[in-house]
């Protein structure tokens, strides 16, 4: 059983920054999970924003490379998504996800892109105005 709770969403102007956080509760050791964030905007395809494996290996969608940074704290069971230089097209509901356990970074990325997730949170809204 894994529970994920997101926080940190909100409204910001174009060019601004936000940091999303996710607190994870699990019967299993948190560091065994590859984690990530995905987003869903109305009328748009779901997009896997970023993943981070237990050792800190990361992947990013091309649309956010250089602007977003995913991180995790295995001692606190948390993961963060630092979002800089936000654009209106970043507006979406953002979801924290536990993707897979004991999986490689490449497997984690594939499963994120295919929506083959272990667990996801309820989401937090990010709105970027121009």
């Amino acid at each position: 059983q894994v529970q994920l709770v997101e926080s940190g969403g909100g409204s910001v102007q174009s060019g601004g920054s936000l940091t999303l956080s996710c607190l994870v509760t699990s019967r299993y050791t948190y560091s065994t999970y590859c984690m990530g964030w995905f987003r869903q905007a109305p009328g748009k395809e779901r997009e896997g924003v970023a993943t981070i494996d237990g050792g800190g290996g990361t992947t990013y969608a091309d649309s956010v490379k250089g602007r977003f940074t995913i991180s995790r704290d295995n001692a606190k069971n948390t993961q963060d998504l630092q979002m800089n230089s936000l654009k209106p097209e970043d507006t979406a509901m953002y979801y924290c996800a536990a993707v897979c356990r004991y999986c490689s970074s490449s497997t984690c990325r594939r499963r994120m892109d295919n929506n083959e997730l272990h667990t996801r949170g309820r989401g937090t809204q990010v709105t970027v105005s121009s």
Side-chain angles (χ1 to χ4, degrees):
Q1 190 80 11
V2 181
Q3 292 184 326
L4 311 174
V5 179
E6 303 97 336
S7 61
S11 297
V12 65
Q13 289 192 328
S14 182
S17 298
L18 280 174
T19 299
L20 306 182
S21 296
C22 178
L23 177 63
V24 181
T25 304
S26 173
R27 63 181 294 183
Y28 300 113
T29 302
Y30 174 60
S31 62
T32 64
Y33 289 95
C34 183
M35 301 294 297
W37 294 88
F38 69 94
R39 63 188 181 184
Q40 180 75 61
K44 293 187 178 180
E45 287 190 3
R46 173 192 170 280
E47 182 178 33
V49 174
T51 63
I52 183 167
D53 64 29
T58 59
T59 72
Y60 294 94
D62 288 342
S63 60
V64 306
K65 280 181 181 176
R67 300 188 298 122
F68 291 11
T69 302
I70 189 172
S71 61
R72 66 189 292 163
D73 187 328
N74 288 336
K76 296 181 178 179
N77 282 24
T78 60
Q79 72 158 346
D80 290 342
L81 184 68
Q82 173 69 43
M83 305 183 294
N84 298 325
S85 302
L86 282 161
K87 305 175 182 180
E89 51 263 44
D90 294 317
T91 296
M93 185 72 79
Y94 283 72
Y95 297 86
C96 172
V99 184
C100 46
R101 294 185 67 213
Y102 297 113
C103 54
S104 66
S105 185
S106 59
T107 296
C108 186
R109 182 74 232 177
R110 184 181 74 250
R111 292 189 180 183
M112 169 64 84
D113 289 342
N114 292 339
N115 199 23
E116 297 169 354
L117 307 176
H118 185 286
T119 309
R120 73 176 211 184
R122 293 187 175 184
T124 185
Q125 179 67 38
V126 172
T127 302
V128 184
S129 58
S130 57

